[in-house]
Amino acid sequence: MTLVLEAAVLGILTGGVYALMASGLTLIFGVMRIINVGHGALVILGAYLSFVLWRNLNIDPFLSLVVTMPVMFMLGVILQVVFVRPLKTDREALSVLVTYALALGIEGLLGYVFSSNYVQITAWYDTASFPIGNFRITYVYVYGFLLCLAILGAIFLMLYRTTFGGAIRATMLNRTAAQLVGIDVDRVSAIAFGIGMATAAAGGVVFGITNTFNPGSHYDLISRLLTIIVLGGLGSLRGAIIAALVMLVIEDVTSVVISPVWASFVFFVILVAVLLLRPQGLFGVTVRDRV
Amino acid sequence: MKRLRDVRVLMGSGLVLLLGFALAFPAIAPDSASTNMAVFTMMFVGLATAWNIMGGYTGYISLGHAGFFGFGSYALGLVLAKLGVAGGYTPFLFVPVAGLLTALLAAAVGWFALRTRAATFVIVTIAFMFMLQLLAENLTSLTGGGAGLGFPVAPWRGDFYNIPFYYAMLALAVLGLAVSWAIRRSKFGLGLLAIRDDEDKALAVGVPAGAFKLTAFVVSAALVGMIGSVYGYYVIFIYPQFVVDPLIGISMVLMVFLGGLGTLGGPVLGALILEPAQLWLAYNYGASRLYLVLYSAVFLLVILLMPRGIIPSVRDLITRWRSGTGGSAAAPGAARKPPAPAAGTAP
Amino acid sequence: MSLLQVDHLSKRFGGVVAVDDCSLSVAEGGITGLIGPNGSGKTTIFNLITGFIAKDQGRITFKSQLIDGLGPDRVYARGIGRTFQLARIFPRLTALENLLVPVRRSGLRALFSRSDWGHEKSRAMEMLGFLEISHVAGQLGGSLSYGQRKLLELGAVMMADPELVLLDEPAGGVNPALLERIADRIRTLNARGTTFLIVEHNMSFVMNLCSEVIVLHRGRQIASGNPEAVRNDPAVLDAYLGA
């Protein structure tokens, strides 16, 4: 029983990371209506950036975010402007191809620079743990979770308390209407993409500390992230966060109760189950455009 | 009117020439390097054509077709193993069986996946592909897991080895094209195109969108499954991550987009251009990771420079040129050939 | 004997009650207008009848058979066609192809065979001629003018000879000359046996064309009868001027 509890707690903690990454992904979808299948690769890129800073300059991974987040933000803006904005027709389909191409390019570049050996970011405190009841929780997971909470909190604050956040939400609700009231949707899109990238950087750090990774890790990651945002309802931040937590808890518990091998499979089984009942996901809006 | 008949005759004879060339290819370039390239190129001609039946005609983009490719592979491998079939020509006879099994899987997956629209559909197909990969890796008693699954070894020697596989791929590609063409000319095909343009409107005029989409999906998947099965036999040993390979899945999509989504010849053109290029890149840069970077660059260039694909862009160019020089009475970019149920059959 | 019978239909969207215990009936053979102030539920009723949205409560009967819960394609197969407020056609298909898409009630076999093509094609050309847009047969739907689209949309709906056609604001965005042409086509089709139910805001269009008018307000019927009677009905005047 303790094992299950421990797994559940772990699930919540890791769920936080996935929640952060997934919210960036769903935000991008909400604003631009594109599926960024390169999100996983960008998380890995963030992980490698922090890895380099840690390995070569001995900068604490969490501290490295001060550098990597702004850098990734700008990268995100540039990518959006160069590769996504020019797409006029068949936007949704083409953006999938474009972002996939970007993912491949990033994977190739990372592989070229770092080779395909698995690496992991370590911090001096990463094996330190503290006891709760009958089991122990490693500090690193908690720090990661707190970081995710902080960033998600900041995002929500921004979305609901600032004018710009209002502009983002307006664009998510109705792009044309937003344009009609004078919102520069192109700028909003670029910045939203940048924010998505910044969350990827943060997610990358925590992911990189708690997992071994190599350039090819983005496949597994993106398949989970996509599943999460579909489950939560495309474009719904709340949905992404809740779905991430639920999925990860179930996965970790399954890993303990049944086997680690089938834990990943459970992920998709849940997706199937939910979509059967609610094709729009937990918090999605039914998208049937009718007159 | 006469001009258009001329165009049709031209296209028709072009096709015949192309087919003749394809049939004679192994005689023209019999060395195994060339025939190997031919096998893979023809494989992608078939894959792209098959994918186009779903993605091009209905507009529902499936990024999980690699799952059907892999499934077809495993299906044939397991059937051959169970029945103890030896290498040679006999395994080819079981390819339709793999196709049928893939069709059944696609019916189940499609029924579920098509309840969703557009963006969610794409993701569900991706999820399906990863699920299949996971299953292949973990159902070790069935699939051999990471150790792979073996096919009977064909007894052909030397340069001849590739030839039967080439013709098998060619046959499947031709089958795919024939099916694609037949669909295009039929009311069913018109219904698919209507669904692509405006699914709700199609429903409003009686098009049974659900049944139509599922049929297109199953047909598309069955073809891909059969091609995958021949591939498995060709490479003799298959592993989960190499046969349920997202790169194969995305390549077929890219080829269709390059050639022209929804056209008949677009997928063929896209495959003929990209696969040899891909093979060349892999040969020269495959060892280093730069292969992926270059491939990605090609990918991006294609999409950003020619988002509509070659054939539609060329068509537009021709129409504009024609109306510019006072050719046929066509409104710029608007007119097509005179009414025919076979909407735009010429590739 | 009413062709279409709607009984106690209700539909709400979240907090908004779009259709509130609405009952109406459409007699066979006539042209009936469905009018009411904005927000009275007219288009929602169309969507409910044609299966685009599911009802909360109530019954919809067509030719004495319940059609609740049928999807739009099945409703069309039963004999009810509809047009949309903003004329919808298939932009990437030619005008002729647009008319070849509609599926007649002849079952699955007809969909795959090509034996009927010649016959269907000539019917389609006939329809284009009837609508006086034969000259655009080969043009892509997306390049047609709005008026041509409206006519094409009407033609497409008629291709399967539906018994009842729901027109959603056929006069919307149309110039007077074309308007008369549309009215004329509707009269001709009606004479040939098609029943029409028309949602419209253009009062003169409704008064000239319709033999019977039903008035909705806040999701329920408040009056019905011939145009003259309805026009002078105090409840109707109240609804339009008051609220």
Side-chain angles (χ1 to χ4, degrees):
Chain A
M1 190 56 209
T2 1
L3 268 148
V4 173
L5 215 55
E6 187 171 6
V9 170
L10 195 65
I12 294 180
L13 294 178
T14 46
V17 181
Y18 279 90
L20 184 62
M21 297 188 280
S23 48
L25 187 57
T26 211
L27 180 72
I28 290 175
F29 179 83
V31 173
M32 283 164 269
R33 303 226 85 77
I34 65 173
I35 303 170
N36 179 18
V37 290
H39 207 78
L42 291 155
V43 166
I44 301 291
L45 177 66
Y48 268 106
L49 281 176
S50 293
F51 174 74
V52 161
L53 289 172
W54 164 77
R55 185 183 64 176
N56 298 352
L57 299 174
N58 261 312
I59 300 179
D60 174 82
F62 287 106
L63 237 50
S64 71
L65 284 178
V66 171
V67 170
T68 59
M69 279 182 81
V71 164
M72 295 275 286
F73 175 83
M74 304 229 273
L75 180 66
V77 171
I78 295 174
L79 287 177
Q80 201 272 348
V81 170
V82 173
F83 294 110
V84 179
R85 197 179 288 185
L87 301 173
K88 299 294 178 203
T89 52
D90 263 337
R91 222 146 178 262
E92 278 181 15
L94 285 179
S95 63
V96 171
L97 292 178
V98 165
T99 50
Y100 189 81
L102 287 173
L104 287 179
I106 292 174
E107 182 186 345
L109 213 59
L110 288 173
Y112 184 67
V113 174
F114 295 100
S115 92
S116 47
N117 294 327
Y118 280 92
V119 296
Q120 186 166 6
I121 307 173
T122 48
W124 60 264
Y125 42 81
D126 74 359
T127 42
S129 59
F130 61 93
I132 283 197
N134 283 338
F135 51 87
R136 311 190 66 87
I137 304 183
T138 32
Y139 278 112
V140 151
Y141 280 96
V142 179
Y143 291 157
F145 185 71
L146 290 174
L147 174 71
C148 297
L149 274 182
I151 297 182
L152 281 172
I155 291 179
F156 268 97
L157 263 178
M158 187 260 309
L159 277 179
Y160 288 93
R161 290 295 166 84
T162 70
T163 330
F164 184 71
I168 291 186
R169 281 184 295 130
T171 314
M172 283 172 88
L173 281 172
N174 190 325
R175 200 181 174 86
T176 319
Q179 276 175 306
L180 289 174
V181 297
I183 294 177
D184 183 350
V185 291
D186 278 339
R187 199 171 74 105
V188 168
S189 300
I191 295 183
F193 204 85
I195 295 176
M197 283 310 99
T199 60
V205 158
V206 185
F207 183 80
I209 294 178
T210 53
N211 294 278
T212 58
F213 59 94
N214 77 353
S217 303
H218 71 99
Y219 279 114
D220 186 54
L221 194 54
I222 193 63
S223 69
R224 288 149 158 252
L225 290 176
L226 289 175
T227 312
I228 289 173
I229 65 170
V230 164
L231 193 62
L234 290 174
S236 162
L237 247 73
R238 250 184 323 161
I241 295 170
I242 294 177
L245 290 168
V246 167
M247 293 288 246
L248 263 299
V249 166
I250 295 182
E251 188 191 10
D252 280 348
V253 168
T254 310
S255 175
V256 161
V257 168
I258 303 180
S259 91
V261 154
W262 293 104
S264 331
F265 197 70
V266 151
F267 231 80
F268 300 115
V269 169
I270 299 177
L271 175 70
V272 168
V274 171
L275 285 184
L276 270 175
L277 301 170
R278 256 184 93 86
Q280 67 269 32
L282 293 173
F283 291 90
V285 186
T286 18
V287 191
R288 269 201 92 168
D289 40 12
R290 231 161 285 109
V291 179
Chain B
M1 201 55 187
K2 181 178 184 296
R3 208 187 237 149
L4 294 150
R5 206 175 297 141
D6 284 348
V7 173
R8 287 250 187 99
V9 168
L10 208 64
M11 298 279 199
S13 31
L15 269 173
V16 173
L17 272 174
L18 211 60
L19 189 63
F21 177 70
L23 281 166
F25 186 82
I28 302 171
D31 60 291
S32 61
S34 301
T35 49
N36 179 57
M37 187 195 74
V39 171
F40 281 107
T41 306
M42 205 46 70
M43 176 174 102
F44 273 101
V45 167
L47 288 175
T49 303
W51 186 90
N52 187 45
I53 291 175
M54 183 66 189
Y57 293 162
T58 66
Y60 276 73
I61 306 290
S62 160
L63 284 190
H65 264 47
F68 295 122
F69 183 82
F71 181 80
S73 230
Y74 275 103
L76 184 67
L78 288 170
V79 163
L80 293 178
K82 278 284 183 296
L83 297 177
V85 179
Y89 290 103
T90 335
F92 288 122
L93 294 175
F94 290 91
V95 166
V97 175
L100 187 64
L101 290 170
T102 314
L104 290 173
L105 176 68
V109 174
W111 174 85
F112 171 73
L114 289 166
R115 292 155 62 89
T116 62
R117 289 279 182 100
T120 316
F121 175 77
V122 179
I123 297 179
V124 171
T125 58
I126 295 176
F128 153 71
M129 182 188 68
F130 280 110
M131 263 205 273
L132 206 73
Q133 198 181 59
L134 271 173
L135 281 173
E137 269 167 19
N138 293 313
L139 291 174
T140 36
S141 52
L142 192 66
T143 63
L149 181 73
F151 279 74
V153 182
W156 310 307
R157 292 276 161 268
D159 278 355
F160 183 72
Y161 181 82
N162 296 345
I163 314 276
F165 291 102
Y166 170 71
Y167 283 112
M169 289 297 189
L170 179 60
L172 287 173
V174 168
L175 175 66
L177 276 167
V179 169
S180 189
W181 179 79
I183 290 178
R184 209 69 171 19
R185 290 174 62 98
S186 71
K187 181 128 176 160
F188 169 62
L190 203 57
L192 293 179
L193 292 175
I195 291 173
R196 183 184 70 176
D197 265 1
D198 189 340
E199 185 163 348
D200 278 332
K201 173 67 183 176
L203 282 168
V205 290
V207 174
F212 274 23
K213 288 188 295 185
L214 187 61
T215 308
F217 191 68
V218 168
V219 169
S220 170
L223 284 165
V224 167
M226 287 196 280
I227 296 173
S229 70
V230 174
Y231 169 81
Y233 184 26
Y234 184 53
V235 298
I236 305 173
F237 237 90
I238 56 174
Y239 305 89
Q241 68 273 34
F242 292 119
V243 82
V244 184
D245 183 357
L247 274 179
I248 295 182
I250 206 72
S251 296
M252 63 176 98
V253 178
L254 182 66
M255 288 168 189
V256 175
F257 271 90
L258 173 63
L261 191 67
T263 63
L264 201 62
V268 178
L269 190 61
L272 289 176
I273 295 177
L274 280 184
E275 182 54 14
Q278 213 168 295
L279 286 169
W280 182 86
L281 270 180
Y283 183 71
N284 288 309
Y285 295 95
S288 84
R289 283 328 196 108
L290 282 181
Y291 164 68
L292 275 179
V293 179
L294 285 169
Y295 187 63
S296 145
V298 167
F299 211 138
L300 288 167
L301 277 171
V302 166
I303 296 172
L304 291 172
L305 293 179
M306 272 207 164
R308 295 191 50 211
I310 296 179
I311 289 183
S313 307
V314 166
R315 251 196 214 146
D316 275 354
L317 223 66
I318 294 180
T319 327
R320 258 184 288 148
W321 169 74
R322 268 217 204 128
S323 58
T325 58
S328 60
R336 282 234 296 269
K337 294 183 279 298
T345 39
Chain C
M1 183 62 230
S2 65
L3 186 62
L4 175 76
Q5 180 78 34
V6 170
D7 290 314
H8 303 289
L9 200 59
S10 290
K11 179 70 190 176
R12 68 184 319 146
F13 298 104
V16 177
V17 180
V19 178
D20 184 14
D21 194 38
C22 181
S23 300
L24 56 89
S25 75
V26 178
E28 190 166 357
I31 302 178
T32 307
L34 187 62
I35 66 174
N38 280 318
S40 47
K42 309 186 292 295
T43 301
T44 309
I45 292 213
F46 268 22
N47 285 334
L48 286 165
I49 295 173
T50 52
F52 277 96
I53 52 182
K55 66 174 200 308
D56 289 339
Q57 264 153 27
R59 271 190 350 220
I60 307 170
T61 317
F62 179 68
K63 293 193 292 190
S64 309
Q65 286 176 319
L66 277 178
I67 59 169
D68 313 344
L70 290 181
D73 52 321
R74 307 278 297 285
V75 171
Y76 188 72
R78 293 289 185 99
I80 304 180
R82 75 164 292 178
T83 62
F84 294 85
Q85 233 168 330
L86 287 175
R88 280 164 93 153
I89 47 94
F90 302 111
R92 283 182 280 192
L93 301 179
T94 65
L96 186 75
E97 286 166 346
N98 262 271
L99 296 185
L100 291 173
V101 172
V103 176
R104 307 189 74 187
R105 289 161 271 181
S106 33
L108 218 57
R109 224 170 14 100
L111 302 175
F112 289 86
S113 75
R114 282 172 43 226
S115 56
D116 287 336
W117 259 145
H119 175 60
E120 285 213 35
K121 230 185 75 189
S122 49
R123 277 190 72 234
M125 286 305 291
E126 237 178 77
M127 179 64 75
L128 285 175
F130 173 72
L131 297 164
E132 292 166 20
I133 50 172
S134 304
H135 55 289
V136 300
Q139 267 186 261
L140 291 182
S143 67
L144 299 178
S145 71
Y146 191 67
Q148 290 168 328
R149 288 194 204 195
K150 275 215 112 96
L151 289 167
L152 188 64
E153 193 191 25
L154 179 62
V157 167
M158 295 304 306
M159 282 303 287
D161 292 324
E163 283 137 303
L164 173 65
V165 173
L166 310 176
L167 296 177
D168 203 341
E169 298 194 35
V174 165
N175 68 66
L178 185 56
L179 197 56
E180 187 39 51
R181 211 161 110 197
I182 291 179
D184 186 59
R185 299 295 94 186
I186 293 176
R187 271 188 223 108
T188 313
L189 289 168
N190 177 245
R192 290 188 195 169
T194 310
T195 308
F196 285 90
L197 178 64
I198 305 179
V199 162
E200 210 10 278
H201 286 294
N202 183 329
M203 282 309 136
S204 61
F205 185 78
V206 170
M207 299 304 167
N208 282 329
L209 198 53
C210 303
S211 52
E212 162 115 3
V213 175
I214 302 173
V215 187
L216 291 186
H217 181 50
R218 296 223 180 104
R220 47 169 67 213
Q221 185 188 144
I222 59 169
S224 75
N226 67 65
E228 271 311 309
V230 162
R231 172 186 265 158
N232 296 317
D233 188 319
V236 174
L237 292 168
D238 201 42
Y240 269 99
L241 297 173

